Amino acid sequence: PEEYDGPDVRQNEYEKNMFMVEDERFEVDMAIERNATAMRQVEPIAEEVTQLRENEEKDGQPIGRMTYKLRQRQLNANHINAIARIYGDFGDEVLQHLVRNPVAVLPIVYQRLRQKDLEWCKAKKDMSKRWNGLCEDNYEGSLDVLCHDNKKDLEKCINERRMTKELKNAG
């Protein structure tokens, strides 16, 4: 078995490419999963809020007459971070509006989460082609765990001074 050299484990370029693909896949999968979790949590709340809003309209009441507050811990930190992430620089502002007026903001946030889910799944599908190609190209080379040792041995054999000395001795 290969010896572990600590944090500075020797890797060849093929292994580095394989690890890069793995890291990218992990990040994309995590973003999709965070978004999906937030979507599952927000969906019933958004439906409830939409129903309240429709009931207000049916009753002929002005929209927004009823106040709706999110219950404490209804959205946890992961859900909040997922919502903030999809809005980028405006994430904090959207979260403030979500707290102040969930009746108006929740359905919009839910639609945006769904839109992002579709975008990221499509991007993952497109990136998978590239990742699969990289994995196929680098798989065999990544199995060569002795490449560093062989490279050092080869460098010793081709050393300029050593070759010059051998040529002088031979001639």
Side-chain angles (χ1 to χ4, degrees):
E2 186 177 355
E3 294 294 321
Y4 179 71
D5 292 340
D8 296 326
V9 173
R10 291 187 223 138
Q11 296 177 346
N12 60 31
E13 65 182 272
Y14 303 106
E15 286 178 300
K16 287 180 183 176
N17 289 337
M18 296 285 281
F19 282 122
M20 180 200 65
V21 167
E22 183 181 357
D23 286 344
E24 286 179 7
R25 279 186 174 162
F26 177 78
E27 289 299 323
V28 169
D29 286 342
M30 289 301 295
I32 289 172
E33 186 55 35
R34 276 191 301 265
N35 190 63
T37 303
M39 225 168 52
R40 284 191 299 270
Q41 187 68 24
V42 168
E43 183 178 19
I45 304 168
E47 288 174 359
E48 179 183 349
V49 165
T50 303
Q51 188 64 38
L52 285 172
R53 191 175 190 161
E54 288 173 1
N55 289 343
E56 278 186 344
E57 290 174 4
K58 284 180 187 175
D59 293 342
Q61 299 294 326
I63 296 174
R65 178 183 61 88
M66 295 177 63
T67 57
Y68 180 87
K69 297 278 185 198
L70 289 173
R71 290 184 293 279
Q72 193 174 20
R73 302 187 200 284
Q74 201 163 13
L75 299 175
N76 69 25
N78 292 333
H79 305 135
I80 291 168
N81 289 337
I83 292 168
R85 182 182 182 140
I86 63 171
Y87 285 99
D89 294 339
F90 300 104
D92 290 337
E93 187 177 337
V94 170
L95 292 174
Q96 289 173 1
H97 288 294
L98 181 63
V99 170
R100 285 188 204 133
N101 191 2
V103 172
V105 178
L106 262 170
I108 296 168
V109 167
Y110 177 66
Q111 290 302 321
R112 181 72 173 144
L113 286 167
R114 286 183 55 197
Q115 178 186 14
K116 274 297 186 185
D117 186 55
L118 294 174
E119 281 179 31
W120 286 338
C121 287
K122 183 179 184 284
K124 180 182 177 182
K125 185 177 178 182
D126 294 341
M127 293 170 84
S128 288
K129 295 173 188 171
R130 184 178 66 88
W131 291 334
N132 291 341
L134 281 170
C135 287
E136 287 175 15
D137 294 344
N138 292 292
Y139 177 71
E140 286 186 26
S142 69
L143 298 176
D144 185 8
V145 294
L146 300 176
C147 68
H148 294 288
D149 297 331
N150 293 340
K151 185 177 178 182
K152 286 180 183 176
D153 291 342
L154 187 61
E155 286 174 354
K156 287 178 186 176
C157 291
I158 303 179
N159 187 336
E160 185 179 332
R161 289 182 191 164
R162 182 172 180 219
M163 289 181 75
T164 307
K165 188 176 183 180
E166 285 182 15
L167 288 172
K168 284 182 184 177
N169 290 340

